[in-house]
Amino acid sequence: MTSPMAQHTSAKPFGSASPSQGASAAFGSMSTPSQLTALDGRLGWLDLNTRAPVVNRALNTMFSAAMQDGTDANRAGRFLLSLWSPDQYPLDLNDLGFFERELNYACRHLANFIIACQVSFRQLVTQSQMEPIIAAWGEEHQ
């Protein structure tokens, strides 16, 4: 499977849009095709096969991690809370890039499934499943 980054970089290089087309000139100078191509070599492990059983494992992984201690537990809890109630528990998406590999997979499988199937997180989990997460991490955002 070709990574999305490789498809994107081969389709059109960044920085080719002019400011008159609504793109910022500063944005175009942020990444060059060669920089993106060099980073593309790191993406071999990103292959996703998101199906319901995989998403179920991802949910279990995220819930288990969120009930632990530590930085990844905090990130997992905040991620689940943001899916449950985004207005109440906003999330800085930059934090997701710092998950260890297993949680990174779980996060992406879950997000991809929600996006691809156009479902709400509340259709996948119940209030009773979220209560321990809210108790553990919800107060931090109040």
Side-chain angles (χ1 to χ4, degrees):
M1 177 178 181
T2 305
S3 76
M5 183 63 79
Q7 292 169 354
H8 183 75
T9 58
S10 64
K12 183 178 180 183
F14 281 109
S16 61
S18 70
S20 63
Q21 293 173 309
S24 164
F27 177 76
S29 66
M30 288 172 53
S31 298
T32 64
S34 61
Q35 288 170 322
L36 294 175
T37 302
L39 292 173
D40 191 47
R42 298 182 186 179
L43 303 178
W45 63 276
L46 288 179
D47 188 24
L48 289 177
N49 179 16
T50 301
R51 297 286 185 256
V54 177
V55 172
N56 191 45
R57 278 195 309 272
L59 280 168
N60 289 334
T61 298
M62 294 301 290
F63 274 94
S64 293
M67 296 312 299
Q68 305 297 317
D69 290 323
T71 304
D72 274 345
N74 181 287
R75 286 186 188 112
R78 289 182 303 141
F79 175 69
L80 293 169
L81 287 171
S82 72
L83 292 174
W84 180 255
S85 184
D87 291 336
Q88 188 174 2
Y89 304 107
L91 177 70
D92 181 354
L93 294 176
N94 289 310
D95 284 347
L96 301 181
F98 295 100
F99 273 133
E100 56 89 12
R101 187 172 284 191
E102 183 180 4
L103 289 174
N104 186 297
Y105 271 121
C107 171
R108 289 182 300 109
H109 280 302
L110 187 53
N112 285 345
F113 187 81
I114 289 169
I115 293 165
C117 295
Q118 298 179 350
V119 297
S120 165
F121 184 66
R122 289 177 181 247
Q123 293 173 281
L124 303 176
V125 300
T126 64
Q127 173 74 32
S128 63
Q129 290 172 307
M130 282 302 297
E131 285 173 356
I133 306 301
I134 294 168
W137 302 108
E139 293 298 316
E140 183 178 305
H141 296 282
Q142 298 293 327

